[in-house]
Amino acid sequence: MKLDLGCGRKPRAGFIGVDMSAACSPDVLHDLRCMPWPFDDASVDEVYSGHFLEHLDGEERIAFMEELYRVLRPGGTALIVTPYWSWVGAVQDPTHKWPPIAEQSYHYFSKALREQMGVDFYPIRCDFDVSFGFSVLPQFAHLPKAELDRARAHSLNVVAELRATLVRR
């Protein structure tokens, strides 16, 4: 099973669209802030969620990740796309919640990284391996990787989207 969580009006091809808005005509009408989601434990192979997570506050993000962990099978993957924290698009939308999302936001959803950071006492149980990709604004796409990495780390409005791939351990 493949899910597009927070699909809006355009669910991803080959995925079951899940959204809280009946106006979007999703395959599954469900508010993803309400737990549990209507899927069995370890029943989902793949998840896509594009521009949804930034609409949740911190506690809702934790609950989302816990529920994502519950429904994904071991080895299952989720691609979560959000505005990058240093792009104006992350803060311009009044429906986005604080804080903007960076790579380090995902460290809290890895058991080993929670232990390394000394926050393993947080009430978070999920355990994902995470890797990242980025959508760069066109005017920076020509830069060599080293220059682009430096610009991403030290400049605003270079990266538009963060693409986090999570694998359930």
Side-chain angles (χ1 to χ4, degrees), residues 40-59:
D40 292 335
D41 294 358
S43 63
V44 177
D45 298 301
E46 186 177 349
V47 165
Y48 175 81
S49 184
H51 292 272
F52 173 75
L53 192 65
E54 67 272 15
H55 295 274
L56 303 178
D57 66 27
E59 288 185 22

Side-chain angles (χ1 to χ4, degrees), residues 107-150:
H107 290 182
Y108 293 84
F109 307 115
S110 163
K111 181 180 178 184
L113 292 175
R114 285 193 303 273
E115 290 172 356
Q116 285 177 9
M117 293 185 301
V119 296
D120 50 328
F121 58 88
Y122 280 13
I124 301 173
R125 298 174 311 281
C126 60
D127 190 15
F128 292 105
D129 289 324
V130 185
S131 59
F132 303 103
F134 305 93
S135 296
V136 178
L137 293 171
Q139 62 267 37
F140 299 101
H142 71 281
L143 293 176
K145 184 178 180 338
E147 287 182 45
L148 186 56
D149 287 346
R150 188 169 30 263

Side-chain angles (χ1 to χ4, degrees), residues 3-58:
L3 301 177
D4 183 344
L5 301 178
C7 66
R9 290 192 168 119
K10 297 179 183 176
R12 197 170 182 139
F15 286 65
I16 296 168
V18 182
D19 204 284
M20 67 184 273
S21 174
C24 294
S25 302
D27 300 305
V28 176
L29 183 64
H30 184 78
D31 183 344
L32 293 166
R33 295 171 298 178
C34 297
M35 311 307 172
W37 296 344
F39 306 103
D40 292 335
D41 294 358
S43 63
V44 177
D45 298 301
E46 186 177 349
V47 165
Y48 175 81
S49 184
H51 292 272
F52 173 75
L53 192 65
E54 67 272 15
H55 295 274
L56 303 178
D57 66 27

